[in-house]
Amino acid sequence: MKNIISIIVVLFLFSSCKKDDKKVEVPKKPNILFILVDDLGYADLSIMGSKYYETPNIDKIAKTGTVFTDGYAACTVCSPSRASLMTGQYPARHGITQFEGKRNSGQAWKERKRYTKLLPPEYKDHLDTSTTTLAEAFKEEGYATFFAGKWHLGGKKQGSLPTDHGFDVNIGGYDAGGPNGGYFSPYKNPFLPNLPEEKGLNLSMKLAQETSNFITKNKDGHFLAYLSFYAVHGGIQTTKEKWTKYRNKAEKMGIHEDGFEMERVLPARKYQDNPVYAGLIEHVDEAIGTVMKTLTDLKLDKNTIVVFTSDNGGVTSGDNFSTNQLTLRGGKGYQWEGGTRIPYFIDVPWMKQTGASISVPVSGVDLFPTLLDLSGLPLKPEAHKDGVSLKPLLLGENIDKRPLYWHYPHYGNQGGEPSSIIRKGKWKLIYYWENLNAELYNLEVDLGERNDVSASNPEIAKQMETQLLDWLKSMDTHYAEVDAEWDKAAREKWLERQRTKSLAGQERQRKKMLSPNWQPNKDWWGSEVKINSIK
């Protein structure tokens, strides 16, 4: 907590440099660079308190722009929150409440043998083309639109590629949720051709180069460039050089004997000490640096709004058990702050923000209307029904107080439980669908969500629960149902395996990765292939 607070204090010290935009010439139809990192946690950046990860290029965006300290993804997993970024709508409204996949609901979920009490509901598996997207809104205004990287909102068979939703160009985006083929060329991606001279090139850098090429081609017009990294999604990979750097750094900081502890369902990483994950983050940071340099070299940096964010919290459990969110509880897939609170930066060059910090709770649904408003374009309230423009906040003004909502009626691969959430000011209520009970947290004094105060604040808890359930009814959304054949004993046996075999297995893997002679394979996932030239 001290690390995050100290960063916020520094940001506030810089905020006094902010100027009234009335004294600054506002560009007509500014360019947009939207940077989305997959599975990047709130504390996975040095600017947000990490002492282990190194992210100077991303930090610079925060230092020159505005940091929303209470910025949230619209869901605790990827596809729903990505759809919300595109539409300005909550998952409960657009219907994509779980990540794209065929085995996440009903009988198919039961066949996975997790032995859960509830059977998750069906949900939309792709973005509906009847919904106006961020890209379509800017394309209507004459913008060239570009998408690079992870899409995960449908594919060719569903008629739901990026080019079906307003993007002129699609590099690497389809229905896959992870980097098929790994993070080094040759990539197994039907929308990302492999060039012989790029063999061994890191995927994040490849996507950045394609983004820079698009920006260069459209430097004399207006553009929306949406750079959506596959990183830092598992399976995580890096080079031997970066692994060595961060392995040595972990040793210098002090390697703990035990690196995991049990959450309610799965083991969770206790520390930021994963050298492969740290290297993967640095790959992303370097890639972002090349795009930002392109803007500067082309003299577009003063006319380009930059957004930087993530689609959900960092992975503390499940997947590759990659990171820890310091004082926040949980991570991706979880109902606690670590699952939804994310880096959320907006840099509007002509506003001279220079590191301003805003603590008003905001959501990914707000970015669609905010970017329209900042660009001087008409809002589309019939499309972005749940988002509001944050422009007043960026100008030092206020927006109307409002609750934020989440609805995730599924079991997360990372240990999250079917739940719905409302946040109002300092209060956060989590409603659990297994037992129809609620937890209440005061985030002002308990950011780690360790002290459920629903019993000592019954009126607040009841009022918030009622408001949440009424809102869900208005969304006409779907809910999990009780499995009439639920085997409680089988569930307890499954949980016991997680507490014993899974926990021990993660500890062994961590120690191997931190040992001085560790090597994942002969060529470090293909990264040691010599690159003759990069175009």
Side-chain angles (χ1 to χ4, degrees):
M1 186 66 181
K2 291 181 179 178
N3 288 335
I4 295 177
I5 290 176
S6 63
I7 294 298
I8 294 172
V9 170
V10 171
L11 292 172
F12 269 120
L13 291 176
F14 281 106
S15 66
S16 60
C17 300
K18 185 176 176 181
K19 297 180 181 179
D20 188 339
D21 78 325
K22 295 179 181 178
K23 300 178 182 179
V24 180
E25 183 178 353
V26 179
K28 184 179 181 181
K29 290 189 174 180
N31 302 311
I32 309 294
L33 173 60
F34 195 116
I35 303 172
L36 178 63
V37 183
D38 192 35
D39 290 355
L40 185 76
Y42 184 79
D44 284 350
L45 304 172
S46 48
I47 190 71
M48 300 303 289
S50 176
K51 300 298 184 183
Y52 188 54
Y53 310 129
E54 298 178 15
T55 53
N57 294 297
I58 298 172
D59 294 351
K60 187 175 180 181
I61 297 172
K63 290 176 182 177
T64 59
T66 293
V67 175
F68 288 84
T69 61
D70 291 42
Y72 290 94
C75 187
T76 186
V77 295
C78 56
S79 296
S81 63
R82 288 168 179 271
S84 294
L85 290 171
M86 283 290 158
T87 64
Q89 298 177 13
Y90 284 121
R93 187 186 298 276
H94 59 60
I96 304 175
T97 55
Q98 174 67 306
F99 66 88
E100 189 174 343
K102 297 180 180 179
R103 302 179 62 200
N104 297 318
S105 58
Q107 187 63 31
W109 169 259
K110 188 173 182 178
E111 291 171 359
R112 297 180 68 175
K113 297 184 178 180
R114 303 292 179 89
Y115 307 105
T116 57
K117 182 178 180 179
L118 304 180
L119 296 179
E122 299 294 330
Y123 57 97
K124 289 185 179 179
D125 65 351
H126 66 280
L127 188 59
D128 195 330
T129 54
S130 65
T131 304
T132 300
T133 66
L134 173 71
E136 288 169 333
F138 276 90
K139 188 173 181 178
E140 288 175 5
E141 297 294 335
Y143 278 68
T145 55
F146 169 90
F147 184 91
K150 177 175 173 176
W151 176 245
H152 209 200
L153 293 173
K156 186 176 182 179
K157 290 183 179 179
Q158 299 149 314
S160 188
L161 290 169
T163 46
D164 297 309
H165 293 281
F167 289 102
D168 299 320
V169 180
N170 170 35
I171 302 294
Y174 63 122
D175 55 2
N180 289 340
Y183 280 105
F184 298 96
S185 177
Y187 321 109
K188 294 181 180 179
N189 185 319
F191 295 91
L192 191 61
N194 291 298
L195 302 178
E197 64 270 23
E198 293 182 346
K199 194 171 184 181
L201 179 64
N202 182 270
L203 176 59
S204 297
M205 186 59 74
K206 171 64 174 177
L207 296 174
Q209 290 173 353
E210 293 288 349
T211 304
S212 290
N213 290 341
F214 168 80
I215 290 172
T216 301
K217 291 177 182 177
N218 292 275
K219 61 184 176 63
D220 297 322
H222 312 291
F223 62 79
L224 164 65
Y226 201 105
L227 174 53
S228 176
F229 290 101
Y230 278 95
V232 289
H233 192 284
I236 58 174
Q237 297 176 349
T238 190
T239 61
K240 182 178 182 180
E241 178 185 15
K242 291 193 186 301
W243 168 82
T244 301
K245 170 184 175 179
Y246 286 103
R247 187 265 160 202
N248 292 341
K249 186 172 184 177
E251 184 174 59
K252 185 177 180 180
M253 293 174 67
I255 297 176
H256 299 267
E257 178 63 25
D258 298 318
F260 289 86
E261 62 185 353
M262 282 302 300
E263 251 302 349
R264 287 183 181 171
V265 177
L266 293 177
R269 199 174 196 97
K270 295 168 64 175
Y271 311 105
Q272 293 184 347
D273 61 359
N274 186 327
V276 174
Y277 185 70
L280 184 56
I281 288 178
E282 187 171 315
H283 286 301
V284 173
D285 187 75
E286 291 172 345
I288 289 172
T290 66
V291 180
M292 299 305 291
K293 185 177 185 300
T294 297
L295 291 177
T296 302
D297 291 346
L298 295 175
K299 302 188 186 310
L300 296 174
D301 53 317
K302 303 302 181 186
N303 188 37
T304 301
I305 299 169
V306 179
V307 169
F308 178 90
T309 192
S310 174
D311 59 346
N312 48 248
V315 182
T316 60
S317 299
D319 301 350
N320 284 107
F321 296 81
S322 300
T323 189
N324 173 275
Q325 293 309 302
L326 303 181
T327 56
L328 302 185
R329 185 176 181 182
K332 177 183 179 180
Y334 281 108
Q335 57 272 16
W336 299 297
E337 290 291 283
T340 52
R341 193 180 285 227
I342 51 171
Y344 195 118
F345 312 150
I346 302 177
D347 183 9
V348 187
W350 57 90
M351 286 186 175
K352 305 295 182 184
Q353 300 148 289
T354 56
S357 177
I358 294 174
S359 60
V360 176
V362 299
S363 168
V365 299
D366 299 324
L367 289 169
F368 186 166
T370 298
L371 290 174
L372 288 177
D373 203 6
L374 289 171
S375 302
L377 302 179
L379 299 184
K380 292 182 174 293
E382 73 287 353
H384 46 74
K385 296 179 180 179
D386 298 312
V388 302
S389 173
L390 305 180
K391 182 179 177 180
L393 294 176
L394 293 167
L395 294 173
E397 301 167 0
N398 298 314
I399 60 173
D400 292 338
K401 292 183 178 180
R402 53 168 182 159
L404 296 182
Y405 296 100
W406 293 264
H407 180 55
Y408 187 62
H410 306 274
Y411 291 93
N413 286 341
Q414 303 78 19
E417 303 160 63
S419 58
S420 300
I421 302 168
I422 178 173
R423 176 174 175 181
K424 292 181 67 177
K426 65 182 182 180
W427 299 105
K428 175 180 175 180
L429 181 130
I430 305 173
Y431 187 83
Y432 291 91
W433 292 104
E434 275 197 354
N435 300 313
L436 306 182
N437 66 308
E439 296 171 350
L440 180 68
Y441 297 101
N442 180 348
L443 298 181
E444 196 172 84
V445 297
D446 182 25
L447 193 57
E449 294 168 287
R450 298 293 177 180
N451 183 26
D452 173 16
V453 295
S454 57
S456 57
N457 295 273
E459 292 183 4
I460 294 174
K462 184 61 179 177
Q463 185 275 329
M464 291 183 68
E465 179 180 319
T466 299
Q467 185 173 356
L468 172 62
L469 296 180
D470 286 347
W471 177 81
L472 287 169
K473 288 179 183 178
S474 74
M475 291 292 102
D476 192 27
T477 189
H478 302 286
Y479 307 89
E481 297 182 355
V482 175
D483 182 359
E485 300 175 341
W486 179 49
D487 187 339
K488 184 177 181 180
R491 176 63 173 176
E492 290 298 329
K493 187 176 181 180
W494 184 89
L495 290 172
E496 181 60 24
R497 287 200 301 271
Q498 309 313 309
R499 288 189 286 266
T500 55
K501 292 184 180 181
S502 180
L503 181 62
Q506 290 304 320
E507 292 286 11
R508 288 194 298 270
Q509 177 61 25
R510 170 179 171 268
K511 289 177 181 178
K512 285 182 180 179
M513 190 178 289
L514 286 166
S515 65
N517 299 316
W518 181 76
Q519 186 174 2
N521 62 5
K522 291 182 179 180
D523 63 359
W524 282 80
W525 299 294
S527 67
E528 292 188 335
V529 178
K530 184 177 180 181
I531 302 174
N532 296 320
S533 62
I534 300 176
K535 295 183 179 179

